[in-house]
Amino acid sequence: GMSLYVAGKSIFTERAAFWGTLIFLVHPGYSEAVYVVTYREDLLCALFLLWTLLAVMRSKSLPAGIYFSAALFSKETALVFPLFVFLAYPEKSESFRRIFLTLLVAEAIYVLVRFSILPGPHFSIDLERNMLLEQGAIFRNYFRILVCPWRLSVDHVLSTDAWAASSLAGILLAIVMLIGTVALWRKGRAVAGMWFFIFLLPVLNIVPIGHISAERYLYIPFLFLAPGLGFLMVSRERYSVAGKALMLLILFLFGARTFYRGFDFRDYATLYRKEIEVNPRSMTAAWGLGQTALIAKEYDESKMWFKRALEISPYFDPVYVDLGKAEYESGNRKKAEQWFEAARALEPHDPRAILSLAGMRQESGDTAAALELYREAVLYEPNPTVMTQNFMNYYRDAKRQYSAIH
């Protein structure tokens, strides 16, 4: 908050930065980024981007490069920051060119490390997707979250049946906002709009990123849109009293919604049950409730939720594996094996399905088949420690102590 305020008053005014920072801090639309510790990547990336921007405004090239590198290694959304800097600074002075070159060098180093050393998903673009409709629907959903953040969800699934209307509305909204941003850019006052659109690009699912939409993805795009909204409010002097009263009411309602949203993240069971209330067709919530019931050894309930998840998404193989585990723990070995086989049929390279089948083969005494499955799982299991333990267990149970030691 303090970093946003300092950067905001350097670009807008002190009053605009004050109100904008308040809006950003209490907005419930991306509260999951704050409440869920595993999403700290968004918070860290936003913080380092703010520090990078402050270093750029003060013509400090070395700190800018260091902070930008930290932002990149926090989250890849930071890759578009040089584009923002290039557009936000129309006058390309010598100091600007030096800083911009530093940013490009830091980005090149990150890309080299990212694709040559660090593990991660392989990106691909499905040319058969109707990208315009998809991005329009996503943009409309994000706009709804920012304007009316009352119905919040951790599982955003955009129904293709509603894409036509949602996409048209989203495309029209994007065009209107883009026209406004371009008009302000010509006057040198489009920082907020440019930041929003540029940092929205990485999360519009143009390149598949795992989730078609998520509330936490708005944390960084909204970072400078909030001070921009604060600037619009304080610039209307004749409406200052009414504007302040309205803003205070909005801040109170947003703050209350953010506060009560925190109770949903108390534990997984609470979160998923709340999600089922909001979105009965949430496969993620049904699967999560099945997993929490499985951990609690409530096997009948876990099987009920897993089967409900499969009704929603019948081709998601991890649910088959978990359903097999629930059957196995219930003592239904035959049914468990059937679910493991079904998971492997859907995804032949799923190490969880292969390992589950290997364990059952080993338990039944078919050690040769178990060993073959363990060897197959080595090809797909990303955790070598787990695989080493699996082999050790196999050789131990097979009483091959010499192999286990060596």
Side-chain angles (χ1 to χ4, degrees):
M2 184 59 67
S3 298
L4 178 59
Y5 173 75
V6 173
K9 73 176 183 179
S10 300
I11 296 174
F12 301 102
T13 64
E14 189 171 349
R15 291 174 61 201
F18 173 77
W19 287 105
T21 301
L22 286 181
I23 296 171
F24 180 79
L25 291 177
V26 302
H27 200 290
Y30 39 77
S31 53
E32 68 175 4
V34 179
Y35 284 123
V36 182
V37 68
T38 53
Y39 298 150
R40 61 188 178 276
E41 58 189 30
D42 294 279
L43 281 68
L44 290 172
C45 182
L47 179 63
F48 288 127
L49 283 175
L50 283 174
W51 290 358
T52 306
L53 183 59
L54 288 170
V56 170
M57 290 190 292
R58 296 167 182 173
S59 299
K60 304 291 186 180
S61 57
L62 181 59
I66 294 173
Y67 296 146
F68 183 51
S69 298
L72 285 169
F73 281 97
S74 298
K75 190 172 184 179
E76 290 181 344
T77 303
L79 283 168
V80 297
F81 181 76
L83 175 61
F84 167 77
V85 172
F86 183 83
L87 294 176
Y89 287 81
E91 297 181 4
K92 308 299 188 289
S93 62
E94 180 64 30
S95 61
F96 170 84
R97 288 194 291 268
R98 184 174 63 254
I99 292 175
F100 191 71
L101 180 60
T102 302
L103 297 177
L104 292 181
V105 170
E107 187 159 289
I109 293 173
Y110 170 77
V111 171
L112 179 63
V113 172
R114 167 64 177 82
F115 290 100
S116 62
I117 300 176
L118 296 178
H122 298 283
F123 299 107
S124 63
I125 298 178
D126 184 1
L127 298 178
E128 296 182 359
R129 294 161 54 210
N130 194 326
M131 294 180 62
L132 183 61
L133 287 178
E134 184 177 299
Q135 268 75 67
I138 295 172
F139 186 87
R140 176 199 169 277
N141 186 49
Y142 283 147
F143 186 84
R144 178 198 64 78
I145 294 171
L146 290 178
V147 175
C148 187
W150 309 123
R151 182 182 180 275
L152 300 176
S153 171
V154 295
D155 185 20
H156 289 263
V157 179
L158 303 180
S159 173
T160 54
D161 298 334
W163 268 16
S166 297
S167 298
L168 180 60
I171 291 169
L172 290 176
L173 283 169
I175 291 173
V176 171
M177 292 181 68
L178 276 171
I179 291 174
T181 300
V182 171
L184 291 172
W185 177 65
R186 292 180 176 178
K187 300 179 182 179
R189 297 166 58 186
V191 172
M194 280 195 300
W195 180 283
F196 177 73
F197 278 106
I198 289 173
F199 281 95
L200 200 63
L201 287 174
V203 296
L204 280 177
N205 212 50
I206 297 172
V207 176
I209 54 177
H211 296 86
I212 194 169
S213 175
E215 291 165 7
R216 66 183 183 277
Y217 292 164
L218 284 172
Y219 189 86
I220 295 175
F222 194 63
L223 193 61
F224 257 94
L225 186 60
L229 294 175
F231 177 78
L232 289 177
M233 188 201 76
V234 301
S235 63
R236 306 299 181 186
E237 291 295 339
R238 57 177 177 165
Y239 301 116
S240 58
V241 176
K244 287 179 181 178
L246 178 61
M247 183 57 66
L248 287 173
L249 177 61
I250 292 174
L251 288 173
F252 174 77
L253 293 174
F254 279 5
R257 183 68 182 95
T258 300
F259 176 77
Y260 282 105
R261 177 63 168 163
F263 292 104
D264 296 342
F265 292 95
R266 180 174 55 188
D267 51 52
Y268 283 114
T270 303
L271 177 62
Y272 292 136
R273 290 191 184 280
K274 183 65 177 181
E275 183 65 25
I276 284 291
E277 294 177 9
V278 175
N279 183 11
R281 296 289 298 171
S282 172
M283 188 280 296
T284 300
W287 182 32
L289 286 170
Q291 289 178 316
T292 55
L294 181 60
I295 293 172
K297 298 183 179 181
E298 298 172 354
Y299 302 123
D300 291 337
E301 183 178 350
S302 69
K303 286 186 280 187
M304 182 270 290
W305 285 115
F306 288 143
K307 289 177 181 178
R308 180 168 174 177
L310 289 179
E311 291 175 2
I312 300 170
S313 182
Y315 301 108
F316 190 60
D317 62 282
V319 181
Y320 287 84
V321 177
D322 288 336
L323 187 51
K325 288 183 177 180
E327 293 287 4
Y328 179 86
E329 295 296 336
S330 300
N332 301 320
R333 301 294 193 268
K334 186 175 182 180
K335 286 186 177 180
E337 185 173 359
Q338 291 174 349
W339 287 116
F340 294 147
E341 291 285 5
R344 192 182 180 195
L346 278 175
E347 179 49 69
H349 299 163
D350 184 351
R352 295 180 66 221
I354 298 172
L355 288 172
S356 298
L357 285 171
M360 295 202 70
R361 298 287 187 273
Q362 184 175 346
E363 186 181 87
S364 64
D366 191 352
T367 56
L371 181 58
E372 188 63 29
L373 287 169
Y374 281 135
R375 286 173 173 166
E376 182 181 350
V378 170
L379 302 174
Y380 315 117
E381 172 61 57
N383 189 339
T385 303
V386 173
M387 287 311 307
T388 301
Q389 186 62 48
N390 287 328
F391 273 111
M392 291 286 287
N393 291 339
Y394 166 79
Y395 283 121
R396 180 199 61 204
D397 294 343
K399 296 183 179 180
R400 300 180 182 179
Q401 287 86 353
Y402 180 85
S403 299
I405 294 171
H406 293 82

